[in-house]
Amino acid sequence: MESWSVEQVCSWLRQRNLGELVPKFREEEVSGAALLALNDRMVQQLVKKIGHQAVLMDLINKYQQQKNRLASLACGCETASPKCPEVVSGKNLKSFFARYKMSQWTSSYALPDFPYDVKCTLAEKKCPDHSMRIRIIEFLQADMTKYLGGSLYPNSQQYNIVVNALLQAYPFLDEDGNGFLLWKRALKDRFKYVRRPIEDDEQVLRNKCKFGHRRGQTRKSSSAENKPDDIQVQVEEESVHLGGSAMDVHIKWLQQEYMKTQRNWKEVENRMNVTTEIRRKMISNKAPLKDILSLFPFLRCPYQLFREFQLLTHMDIYKKTVEILEIYSENILSLYVVRNNPINIMLQDNLKRHTEEDILKYMKMTAACLLLPVVFGDDSSLFAAVNEEVKAVTPVLEVKNPFNANSCEFALYIEREELTQLDDSTMALAALVASFHVFDIPCPKRIHRTLSFLESLVFEVRSPATLP
């Protein structure tokens, strides 16, 4: 700190929410050396508000105390016994200091005194909502920066110490065993968000240069060149941070737009693009489905579900499903194994009542869809519940009156909760396959052969599965 310039001191003040003091410090040309030389009288002349005076003096005193402890430790190492020559070498001394500072963290770190509203939420022992998570992360980040003496680059072990302290104090935040990774990721993202706009801090600039960050750049997936032009994603760098205000704005907009009857679908696509990375992180970290859907409710819309699948796989699953049912429906219905199945019997009864070509085709494709697990000897209850209550936890279709054009209903269920309603069997089959990939849900063994057959056709593998 002694070698800091005036601008570095100003940056340090902003990081500690003392930005109001920057003009005065610039005017008085307070460098790092001058900052450490300030006494009570000087601080009173520089700073008008008593609260700011107290915070500033506390920060200066803590830095001086830390500096004195390290100096005394170094002095003790220099006068160490010749029996320990390795301690005296510069490299080992640096390593010793690092271990000493880490032991200080381990033994002394305590959670910050959270604001009243955060305390009330934590006292209820319920998982906080998105905005409250951000509040908790902001206070943890500010507290870690204080412990680090102003540095914005904690190491992995320091992140672990803080997150472990949080989860030990509030075990209900662990969220089915996945809480540690989620909170650690969010805390790291918060530090990135704080570092991004800083342009006058030597440590931040050095690391930005080292790791190739450039202001204003956008992140692209390494496979972006292979994606279709209409869904190519250019995720803004600022959008991937859970603690960032920009991310919060996007999510709130999506939540509010979802409640409208007339939606701006073009803007929905843009905002879903921007939030892709954080959404995929939540899903890969096994965040609860209800939390994902509360933040990104448009995943309940079939179109956005198919679009998310296309972002992941570069495949138009709805188009592929239409082709599959058109090609295979007649073959499926002609197989002996389905001849006496109740769905096929129901189909044959309804075919006699209609002559319109479109209705006949619609009913045959519906029957072919519902009979797929029967063809492969799989468990039909894990595929579709026809005129029955949904019992499966994994993605499954609910189908009511499948051959009645006026009252037929299709819906996709996950964890026994309705995700979305669907227009017909083609859309329903596409949504079922897409949901396993979009929400990263393992395929049950008792439905594996059916889904493998469909996926081999969707992904155009060289040797696709065939009908038995």
Side-chain angles (χ1 to χ4, degrees), residues 48-162:
K48 293 182 179 180
K49 296 181 179 179
I50 295 177
H52 287 173
Q53 293 175 10
V55 171
L56 184 61
M57 286 305 301
D58 182 60
L59 290 171
I60 294 173
N61 290 336
K62 285 182 177 178
Y63 180 84
Q64 292 283 20
Q65 291 170 6
Q66 184 182 22
K67 178 185 173 185
N68 292 336
R69 284 199 303 269
L70 291 176
S72 63
L73 187 63
C75 181
C77 291
E78 289 174 359
T79 58
S81 169
K83 294 181 181 179
C84 302
E86 68 275 8
V87 177
V88 183
S89 68
K91 183 176 181 181
N92 286 317
L93 184 61
K94 183 177 180 181
S95 175
F96 182 82
F97 281 154
R99 290 196 301 273
Y100 171 77
K101 291 176 72 176
M102 182 54 64
S103 67
Q104 289 293 100
W105 259 80
T106 307
S107 60
S108 66
Y109 182 77
L111 289 173
D113 187 19
F114 290 116
Y116 179 74
D117 59 331
V118 176
K119 287 181 179 178
C120 291
T121 300
L122 294 174
E124 294 175 356
K125 295 185 178 181
K126 295 180 181 179
C127 290
D129 59 17
H130 178 68
S131 60
M132 189 56 66
R133 285 170 180 268
I134 291 175
R135 293 266 287 155
I136 295 171
I137 288 296
E138 285 175 346
F139 273 85
L140 289 178
Q141 180 269 318
D143 194 57
M144 286 182 72
T145 304
K146 180 189 74 174
Y147 267 81
L148 289 166
S151 173
L152 294 174
Y153 289 92
N155 61 35
S156 182
Q157 191 170 353
Q158 289 164 343
Y159 282 121
N160 293 344
I161 290 170
V162 173

Side-chain angles (χ1 to χ4, degrees), residues 22 55 77 83 132 147 167 196 209 242 248 260 280 368 398 411 421 425 450 462:
V22 167
V55 171
C77 291
K83 294 181 181 179
M132 189 56 66
Y147 267 81
L167 298 184
R196 187 175 303 105
C209 182
L242 182 60
D248 198 26
K260 298 179 181 178
R280 299 317 308 168
E398 182 193 55
Q421 294 186 353
S425 61
T450 303
R462 292 183 178 179

Side-chain angles (χ1 to χ4, degrees), residues 280 307-315 437-439:
R280 299 317 308 168
R307 194 168 180 278
E308 189 88 356
F309 181 88
Q310 192 167 2
L311 291 174
L312 296 173
T313 65
H314 311 163
M315 292 292 178
H437 289 266
V438 169
F439 298 110

Side-chain angles (χ1 to χ4, degrees), residues 201-215:
D201 183 277
E202 182 179 351
Q203 184 188 23
V204 174
L205 290 177
R206 184 169 62 250
N207 279 280
K208 283 185 177 181
C209 182
K210 178 179 178 180
F211 295 109
H213 297 302
R214 295 291 183 272
R215 191 181 182 193

Side-chain angles (χ1 to χ4, degrees), residues 62 119 134 160 261 289 292 335 351 391 408 459 463:
K62 285 182 177 178
K119 287 181 179 178
I134 291 175
N160 293 344
T261 53
L289 181 64
I292 297 169
L335 293 174
L351 289 177
K391 297 179 180 179
C408 181
F459 296 125
S463 301

Side-chain angles (χ1 to χ4, degrees), residues 185-423:
R185 179 72 262 171
L187 192 55
K188 294 176 75 172
D189 288 344
R190 176 64 190 176
F191 270 96
K192 291 179 183 178
Y193 176 78
V194 172
R195 291 194 298 260
R196 187 175 303 105
I198 296 176
E199 298 180 354
D200 51 5
D201 183 277
E202 182 179 351
Q203 184 188 23
V204 174
L205 290 177
R206 184 169 62 250
N207 279 280
K208 283 185 177 181
C209 182
K210 178 179 178 180
F211 295 109
H213 297 302
R214 295 291 183 272
R215 191 181 182 193
Q217 279 187 340
T218 57
R219 292 184 178 178
K220 291 185 180 180
S221 170
S222 59
S223 60
E225 295 177 358
N226 300 324
K227 293 183 179 180
D229 293 337
D230 60 322
I231 61 165
Q232 185 169 345
V233 182
Q234 296 182 350
V235 181
E236 299 175 9
E237 186 171 272
E238 70 176 6
S239 69
V240 300
H241 305 296
L242 182 60
S245 58
M247 175 61 65
D248 198 26
V249 169
H250 290 309
I251 290 174
K252 285 184 178 178
W253 187 93
L254 289 168
Q255 291 172 326
Q256 292 170 0
E257 191 71 10
Y258 184 75
M259 302 303 294
K260 298 179 181 178
T261 53
Q262 298 293 328
R263 296 162 179 167
N264 184 347
W265 287 107
K266 184 175 182 180
E267 185 62 21
V268 168
E269 290 184 8
N270 292 336
R271 305 251 182 179
M272 289 293 284
N273 284 350
V274 170
T275 56
T276 298
E277 188 168 342
I278 187 62
R279 185 166 61 253
R280 299 317 308 168
K281 284 181 181 178
M282 287 183 67
I283 292 172
S284 63
N285 288 331
K286 304 300 181 185
L289 181 64
K290 62 179 181 180
D291 291 350
I292 297 169
L293 295 176
S294 68
L295 299 182
F296 305 102
F298 280 97
L299 288 178
R300 293 180 178 275
C301 299
Y303 171 72
Q304 284 299 326
L305 187 67
F306 298 156
R307 194 168 180 278
E308 189 88 356
F309 181 88
Q310 192 167 2
L311 291 174
L312 296 173
T313 65
H314 311 163
M315 292 292 178
D316 185 339
I317 189 160
Y318 180 73
K319 180 181 177 182
K320 288 290 181 182
T321 307
V322 172
E323 294 174 357
I324 292 169
L325 288 180
E326 287 183 345
I327 294 172
Y328 286 91
S329 58
E330 292 290 347
N331 291 337
I332 291 171
L333 297 175
S334 66
L335 293 174
Y336 178 80
V337 70
V338 305
R339 184 173 301 175
N340 296 320
N341 188 276
I343 291 176
N344 191 35
I345 295 172
M346 196 187 308
L347 169 68
Q348 300 303 324
D349 290 341
N350 281 274
L351 289 177
K352 299 173 183 177
R353 303 173 188 172
H354 299 277
T355 57
E356 298 89 341
E357 185 176 346
D358 291 342
I359 294 179
L360 296 177
K361 180 180 178 182
Y362 166 84
M363 289 195 293
K364 289 180 179 179
M365 291 177 68
T366 298
C369 170
L370 300 178
L371 288 169
L372 269 172
V374 178
V375 171
F376 288 93
D378 283 338
D379 187 346
S380 297
S381 66
L382 297 179
F383 186 85
V386 182
N387 295 329
E388 294 178 355
E389 181 184 354
V390 170
K391 297 179 180 179
V393 177
T394 52
V396 65
L397 299 175
E398 182 193 55
V399 186
K400 296 180 180 179
N401 307 317
F403 304 113
N404 188 324
N406 296 322
S407 61
C408 181
E409 295 180 9
F410 290 87
L412 175 64
Y413 276 66
I414 302 180
E415 297 178 358
R416 298 192 185 94
E417 296 289 338
E418 183 180 304
L419 180 76
T420 183
Q421 294 186 353
L422 305 149
D423 294 343

